[in-house]
Amino acid sequence: MKALYTGTTPDTVEILEVDRPVPGPRDALVRIRACGICGTDVSFLHLGGIPAHAHLGGDIVPVALGHEPAGEVVEVGAEVEGLKVGDRVVVNPQGPSGVIGCGARHGALSEYLLVENATVGRNLAVFPDHVPFDVASLNEPMAVARHAVNRSEAKPADKVVVFGAGPIGLGAAIWLKLRGVEHVVVADVIASRLEKALAIGADAVIDSAEEDVTGRLTELHGQATNALGQPRPGTDIYFDAAGAAAVFNTVVGNARWGAKLVMVAIQKKSSEIDLGGMLRSELTLIASQGYPTEIFEVTPELVEHEDRFARLISHRVPFAEADRAFEWALTPGAAEKIVITLDD
């Protein structure tokens, strides 16, 4: 079968011929039909793979890519319950059968994926036939966004701003609205992303490259103060889905007394954090990583609101043209959410 790996030089990919997995009595074999590209995949491309025995300074070895899969079951072990050939499934890439992609032995950007110890509700979940595979492949990144929203404990009356209108930021905006939050603002520097934010249900947007963020947030959320009585926008919860130092510094500079910052983006190296600014607002910093419980919590709602989530996909690219898909993924601002499809 064919599988996608990091190439022999940085920022390249290569389709390799590898053995098709053979499932055991407790396993299932899934034919992959769609798989999203994540920023983690792009990070491995920059490195050209991962160092073998990194602590010893070993050679770079290729990495199997992909951890956002959706597909159909083609073989089921005799001891597997609640699953049959033909079922459409999403897979937990951090489940009990081991890690998929992210430097692991197997990646989901391949024609077939072995799910060991296949257990419905633990490492895979079935979704209805009417849901397109590309939309179903959003299950994993939307679980990341859902965990961030769950961590925020946002309430309907909270006033929220999400910085970063990529898939995770927009996913967070959708979950916030579905949670009943009355006013959600999305901020970004790319106009097309802000248009999409409005299309998926954001109440307002801010072009942070052109507009005064403090003034706009005050206009939208009213005025409050920090712990010293200095004027600040009345925003209750900030989400950093961008990972840029400018976002963190903007939040610290604008946070009212008792505000929260949920950090879900992978942070780039940045300048010194203004701890004094955090103190002046008693800003609560909440880190959000992965999806401890959310991977299949999101599946029924993804199905229910499939049209809304489908808007997040900007590009659908055939597997044979994966190199083109990753060229877009490597180019800042060229694409929002790319899904690679594996059709007949």
Side-chain angles (χ1 to χ4, degrees):
M1 71 171 188
K2 293 179 172 60
L4 194 70
Y5 283 74
T6 53
T8 54
T9 58
D11 295 341
T12 62
V13 296
E14 187 173 357
I15 295 177
L16 302 179
E17 193 70 35
V18 300
D19 292 337
R20 173 173 163 167
V22 178
R26 298 180 181 177
D27 308 331
L29 187 66
V30 177
R31 181 188 174 200
I32 301 301
R33 300 295 298 273
C35 184
I37 294 178
C38 174
T40 306
D41 298 314
V42 176
S43 297
F44 284 123
L45 252 67
H46 283 316
L47 295 172
I50 56 173
H53 311 294
H55 62 294
L56 300 176
D59 294 334
I60 296 290
V61 297
V63 170
L65 295 168
H67 60 272
E68 301 180 3
E72 59 185 321
V73 176
V74 293
E75 293 184 47
V76 181
E79 298 178 23
V80 178
E81 298 179 354
L83 197 66
K84 65 182 185 300
V85 171
D87 280 344
R88 295 180 171 213
V89 295
V90 288
V91 179
N92 181 359
Q94 298 181 9
S97 59
V99 175
I100 297 167
C102 297
R105 188 161 52 102
H106 302 296
L109 275 166
S110 58
E111 291 183 300
Y112 295 91
L113 178 67
L114 180 67
V115 180
E116 298 177 278
N117 298 310
T119 307
V120 175
R122 292 192 66 203
N123 51 11
L124 47 74
V126 178
F127 66 92
D129 291 350
H130 66 79
V131 178
F133 286 106
D134 56 356
V135 176
S137 74
L138 297 172
N139 193 88
E140 194 271 354
M142 291 306 98
V144 173
R146 178 65 163 261
H147 181 55
V149 170
N150 286 350
R151 291 275 288 150
S152 77
E153 299 182 333
K155 298 176 177 57
D158 284 330
K159 297 177 283 292
V160 181
V161 60
V162 178
F163 284 93
I168 302 302
L170 293 181
I174 292 174
W175 292 129
L176 286 162
K177 294 305 297 182
L178 292 177
R179 191 182 177 99
V181 176
E182 293 174 7
H183 202 274
V184 177
V185 180
V186 175
D188 203 286
V189 297
I190 300 175
S192 62
R193 292 186 173 187
L194 295 175
E195 291 173 7
K196 185 166 289 188
L198 292 171
I200 57 90
D203 298 290
V205 295
I206 299 174
D207 183 339
S208 52
E210 301 291 338
E211 298 181 85
D212 172 16
V213 174
T214 302
R216 279 287 284 146
L217 283 177
T218 302
E219 175 188 334
L220 293 165
H221 291 164
Q223 186 168 293
T225 63
N226 66 8
L228 300 182
Q230 297 167 323
R232 295 290 185 267
T235 307
D236 300 297
I237 304 174
Y238 296 81
F239 282 80
D240 180 2
V247 171
F248 199 99
N249 294 334
T250 296
V251 173
V252 172
N254 281 281
R256 67 157 181 81
W257 193 359
K260 299 178 184 178
L261 166 60
V262 182
M263 185 178 70
V264 62
I266 296 175
Q267 301 297 307
K268 286 78 173 176
K269 289 185 178 180
S270 61
S271 57
E272 196 171 302
I273 296 172
D274 181 7
L275 295 176
M278 295 181 68
L279 183 65
R280 287 190 292 275
S281 294
E282 292 192 341
L283 178 66
T284 298
L285 175 60
I286 301 170
S288 179
Q289 169 68 38
Y291 32 83
T293 62
E294 289 86 357
I295 186 64
F296 300 132
E297 173 187 321
V298 304
T299 309
E301 289 178 79
L302 189 66
V303 170
E304 182 181 355
H305 303 281
E306 64 171 284
D307 291 342
R308 195 170 187 177
F309 285 102
R311 292 177 179 269
L312 301 185
I313 301 173
S314 60
H315 295 74
R316 296 165 176 85
V317 181
F319 183 71
E321 301 174 25
D323 55 347
R324 181 164 60 97
F326 274 93
E327 284 178 13
W328 284 332
L330 286 161
T331 305
E336 283 115 38
K337 186 60 184 178
I338 303 171
V339 175
I340 293 180
T341 59
L342 297 88
D343 299 321
D344 291 325

